Amino acid sequence: EFRPPSYHRVTTELPSGACITVVNNFVPTKPGRARQISSKLLITGKNGEKAPANALGYKISEGKLPNWLRHILQPLFVHQDLVFVHHQQAILQKKQRKSGDTWKQSYWMPCEADKSTVALRRWLDRNGGIGWSPSVCTEVNAVQDMKLLFDTYSAHTKKCATCSKALRNITRVQKGLKYSALALAFAGISNM
């Protein structure tokens, strides 16, 4: 289910009645960028059957993975289309500015999977698009350096308390291992 401008819900149900619902809200942060905010609801079946472990590629079960590791793994599903969508947006914007063609003239989207995209575009057309601040550059240029496009540190890690703490801990462990290796090497040389 898609409700413009940003609500997307997917429910997977088993014959037992157990189901999982994943709700995504995509909030535009600047032209060509959006923040994904997700939540999930797990419902057991009548006889205690568990909800499915996966829904649309999202690993749902919490298991024993630490939060920071889940934060690393969960975006992998979303990132698989990121390059394609990013470049398509830049191409569409360039074409619109050059020829005046709208998205309706530029794309043919007959697939069931395209319904959400078409619904969002129609909603934006009806409601005047996104009113960015005049100080915001609305030009979406295709990023050539994939490191910038997939910059998880700037987009997430430095703002996330869980991931920032994990990064500090990993950095400390790396330093400790480096000094331990030097001490062992020195001890090995001294014993020769």
Side-chain angles (χ1 to χ4, degrees):
E1 172 189 7
F2 174 74
R3 285 190 228 156
S6 65
Y7 177 88
H8 181 250
R9 183 180 76 191
V10 177
T11 300
T12 304
E13 190 171 344
L14 295 176
S16 67
C19 70
I20 177 154
T21 299
V22 176
V23 175
N24 291 305
N25 282 285
F26 297 95
V27 182
T29 56
K30 63 182 181 180
R33 298 285 182 168
R35 177 164 290 124
Q36 177 187 8
I37 301 169
S38 298
S39 61
K40 59 190 172 216
L41 174 65
L42 303 167
I43 299 174
T44 56
K46 294 175 186 169
N47 298 317
E49 298 88 351
K50 299 274 186 198
N54 291 294
L56 285 179
Y58 291 92
K59 180 72 173 160
I60 303 303
S61 59
E62 300 300 322
K64 296 189 185 225
L65 290 177
N67 283 341
W68 63 268
L69 185 55
R70 281 201 329 274
H71 285 207
I72 289 171
L73 298 175
Q74 285 176 340
L76 296 177
F77 175 72
V78 176
H79 284 178
Q80 62 188 334
D81 291 335
L82 183 61
V83 174
F84 174 73
V85 171
H86 176 75
H87 283 274
Q88 285 299 314
Q89 179 62 31
I91 291 166
L92 176 64
Q93 188 181 66
K94 213 178 270 184
K95 186 173 181 177
Q96 285 176 331
R97 290 192 173 154
K98 186 176 180 181
S99 68
D101 286 354
T102 67
W103 66 270
K104 293 175 193 168
Q105 292 137 349
S106 298
Y107 294 124
W108 181 54
M109 295 183 274
C111 299
E112 184 74 21
D114 297 324
K115 275 186 174 180
S116 296
T117 302
V118 172
L120 174 61
R121 292 269 182 195
R122 286 183 179 154
W123 186 90
L124 288 168
D125 288 349
R126 276 194 315 273
N127 293 284
I130 298 172
W132 299 109
S133 165
S135 65
V136 173
C137 176
T138 58
E139 186 70 33
V140 178
N141 293 312
V143 174
Q144 300 305 316
D145 184 357
M146 293 302 117
K147 289 179 184 173
L148 293 175
L149 195 57
F150 294 107
D151 183 6
T152 305
Y153 176 77
S154 296
H156 176 83
T157 305
K158 74 179 182 181
K159 299 170 191 151
C160 173
T162 300
C163 293
S164 293
K165 181 180 175 186
L167 181 59
R168 281 192 305 275
N169 290 338
I170 288 170
T171 302
R172 284 184 195 123
V173 168
Q174 283 178 326
K175 284 180 183 175
L177 291 172
K178 188 186 300 182
Y179 292 124
S180 297
L182 286 173
L184 289 171
F186 183 72
I189 291 171
S190 299
N191 290 334
M192 293 179 122

